[in-house]
């Protein structure tokens, strides 16, 4: 059976969370006035990078004092403390600002992309500060998808961007209390929300995380079972994955998903590692499972093909373009590479 995965681009964790500090009154204000604080922007699941740096991307970092007033003035900007990083005795704080709602005030900026230049502004009733912020954000930076960014940058930047996009996507999807429908306010420097309704005891709300299992099934001949799902594009093949259901253990979810999707029963399991997958809120737990049966019965609804492959089979299939593998941000890619014996 395989060893745990050593590297996963969306699982970088080199930051001090300062969990006990971030809930204190005035913490965010102090951080934004600290000369050792840097700010970066995220919007609609994308991260701002310096112009022209998309091949070897890094975060576009701004000194907090440059953007502090603009962030405070822009009504839809959400500042979130990302952590403190200390290297060689030098401490730096990082703050992410989600500008999705600000960018929505500019018609063309909602779909920010590498080619997006700020164009004409329509009168949307938004404040001048929002428009100015959105104009600067869309014209000064390139915007990079986390799946392209994380595998090609440093561990620190990958960790910062993954945290920021995970949190921002939760705030974007939950603006009201799920229990009483009152508005919520952001607390704990972005890491929690509080219901504003006293009758609901100002209920604390924490980010929603949806656990999923991803399982590489290996048989007695050390072949791997690769599957093509109906929703997969082209010749993409991957391993078996699915959400953990309410009241279910990870191990049970692995056995259930393997059997439901491929008809294969599995025996021994080994945990390989986990990775956040904030599209929008998954946490992927990776396993390798030993098949106890070889017969494959796909459901033909979710899965349209599944085949046992030796390393030689996979080498040939990749060379002939019969099979393409998941991208370099996906945990599946690293699981398959680990079985294959070298980076794919
Ligand atoms: Zn409530």
């Amino acid at each position: 059976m395989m060893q745990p995965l050593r590297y996963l681009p969306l699982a970088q964790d080199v930051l001090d969370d300062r969990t006990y500090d971030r809930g204190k009154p005035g913490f965010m204000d102090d951080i934004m006035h600290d000369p050792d604080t840097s700010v970066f922007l995220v919007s609609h699941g994308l991260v701002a990078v310096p112009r022209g740096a998309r091949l070897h991307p890094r975060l576009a970092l701004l000194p907090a004092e440059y953007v502090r007033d603009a962030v405070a003035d822009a009504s839809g900007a959400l500042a979130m403390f990302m952590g403190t990083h200390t290297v060689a005795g030098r401490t730096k704080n990082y703050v992410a600002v989600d500008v999705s709602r600000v960018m929505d005030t500019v018609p063309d900026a909602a779909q920010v992309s590498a080619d997006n230049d700020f164009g004409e502004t329509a009168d949307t009733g938004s404040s001048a500060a929002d428009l100015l912020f959105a104009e600067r954000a869309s014209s000064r930076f390139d915007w990079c998808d986390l799946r392209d960014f994380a595998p090609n940058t440093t561990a620190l930047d990958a960790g910062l961007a993954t945290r920021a996009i995970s949190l921002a996507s939760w705030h974007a999807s939950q603006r009201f209390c799920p229990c009483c429908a009152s508005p919520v306010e952001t607390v704990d420097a972005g890491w929690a929300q509080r219901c504003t309704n006293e009758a609901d005891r100002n209920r604390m709300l924490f980010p929603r995380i949806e656990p999923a299992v991803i399982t590489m099934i290996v048989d007695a001949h050390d072949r791997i079972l690769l599957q093509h799902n109906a929703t997969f594009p082209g010749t993409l093949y991957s391993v078996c994955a699915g959400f953990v259901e309410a009241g279910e253990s990870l191990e049970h979810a692995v056995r259930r998903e393997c059997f439901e999707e491929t008809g294969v029963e599995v025996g021994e399991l080994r945990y390989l590692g986990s990775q956040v997958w904030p599209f929008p809120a998954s946490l992927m737990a990776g396993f390798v499972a030993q098949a106890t049966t070889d017969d494959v019965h796909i459901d033909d609804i979710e899965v349209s093909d599944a085949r046992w492959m030796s390393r030689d089979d996979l080498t040939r299939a990749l060379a002939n373009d019969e099979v393409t593998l998941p991208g370099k941000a996906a945990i599946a890619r690293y699981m398959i590479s680990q079985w294959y014996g070298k980076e794919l």
Side-chain angles (χ1 to χ4, degrees):
M1 293 285 259
M2 298 186 346
Q3 296 304 306
L5 297 166
R6 284 185 299 277
Y7 171 79
L8 292 167
L10 274 64
Q12 304 303 316
D13 207 359
V14 294
L15 292 153
D16 179 356
D17 300 295
R18 300 179 65 181
T19 314
Y20 297 106
D21 290 336
R22 70 193 185 199
K24 291 178 183 164
F27 173 76
M28 211 49 193
D29 213 35
D30 290 347
I31 286 288
M32 290 302 275
H33 283 83
D34 188 327
D36 291 324
T37 296
S38 293
V39 173
F40 64 97
L41 304 182
V42 295
S43 175
H44 295 287
L46 306 178
V47 57
V49 302
R51 286 233 135 182
R54 291 177 97 242
L55 280 182
H56 302 285
R58 63 184 192 279
L59 293 173
L61 292 173
L62 307 158
E65 63 178 316
Y66 287 12
V67 290
R68 188 169 57 225
D69 294 343
V71 169
D73 291 346
S75 54
L78 173 63
M80 304 168 289
F81 174 67
M82 291 292 101
T84 295
H85 188 238
T86 304
V87 63
R90 186 138 189 261
T91 289
K92 276 195 96 170
N93 308 304
Y94 293 93
V95 169
V97 177
D98 179 24
V99 294
S100 302
R101 282 191 240 180
V102 184
M103 300 299 263
D104 286 343
T105 64
V106 180
D108 293 335
Q111 309 295 326
V112 285
S113 74
D115 303 313
N116 183 286
D117 256 323
F118 184 66
E120 296 292 308
T121 54
D123 181 8
T124 57
S126 52
S127 75
D130 283 8
L131 287 171
L132 186 64
F133 198 114
E135 176 184 25
R136 288 179 175 167
S138 57
S139 63
R140 291 193 182 173
F141 307 115
D142 282 345
W143 291 83
C144 197
D145 188 292
L146 185 59
R147 284 162 281 211
D148 300 325
F149 179 79
N152 296 306
T153 191
T154 63
L156 175 62
D157 281 15
L160 286 164
T162 303
R163 282 174 176 225
I165 285 172
S166 301
L167 262 190
S169 110
W170 172 61
H171 286 292
S173 67
Q174 180 166 289
R175 299 182 187 187
F176 299 92
C177 174
C179 300
C180 75
S182 299
V184 293
E185 59 184 0
T186 303
V187 294
D188 279 4
W191 290 86
Q193 295 176 342
R194 185 163 50 211
C195 172
T196 52
N197 179 6
E198 280 182 31
D200 195 25
R201 297 184 180 187
N202 298 113
R203 180 189 299 276
M204 288 292 288
L205 301 161
F206 297 96
R208 179 177 167 147
I209 296 167
E210 296 167 354
V213 289
I214 182 158
T215 309
M216 184 164 64
I217 308 173
V218 177
D219 76 357
H221 311 289
D222 205 18
R223 294 179 303 173
I224 186 176
L225 187 61
L226 289 181
Q227 64 186 63
H228 177 79
N229 291 9
T231 56
F232 285 178
T235 56
L236 177 63
Y237 277 73
S238 188
V239 295
C240 181
F243 285 108
V244 180
E245 296 192 331
E248 188 177 47
S249 69
L250 297 176
E251 303 88 303
H252 189 274
V254 166
R255 295 180 198 284
R256 178 181 54 74
E257 285 288 345
C258 290
F259 187 71
E260 283 175 4
E261 293 194 352
T262 68
V264 172
E265 295 185 36
V266 298
E268 188 187 348
L269 304 182
R270 181 169 292 179
Y271 174 68
L272 296 176
S274 67
Q275 169 169 270
V276 177
W277 194 246
F279 312 104
S282 296
L283 175 66
M284 312 289 295
F287 292 86
V288 57
Q290 193 70 47
T292 54
T293 57
D294 264 2
D295 287 343
V296 173
H297 300 284
I298 54 168
D299 60 13
D300 239 344
I301 302 165
E302 191 174 348
V303 180
S304 47
D305 186 29
R307 46 177 96 163
W308 290 109
M309 300 192 104
S310 66
R311 289 175 185 79
D312 287 345
D313 294 337
L314 182 58
T315 305
R316 265 193 303 276
L318 290 170
N320 298 338
D321 291 329
E322 289 168 33
V323 165
T324 51
L325 295 176
K328 289 201 168 180
I331 186 172
R333 175 80 169 222
Y334 296 86
M335 293 165 69
I336 297 166
S337 285
Q338 183 116 331
W339 164 81
Y340 190 72
K342 62 181 179 189
E343 192 176 332
L344 286 163

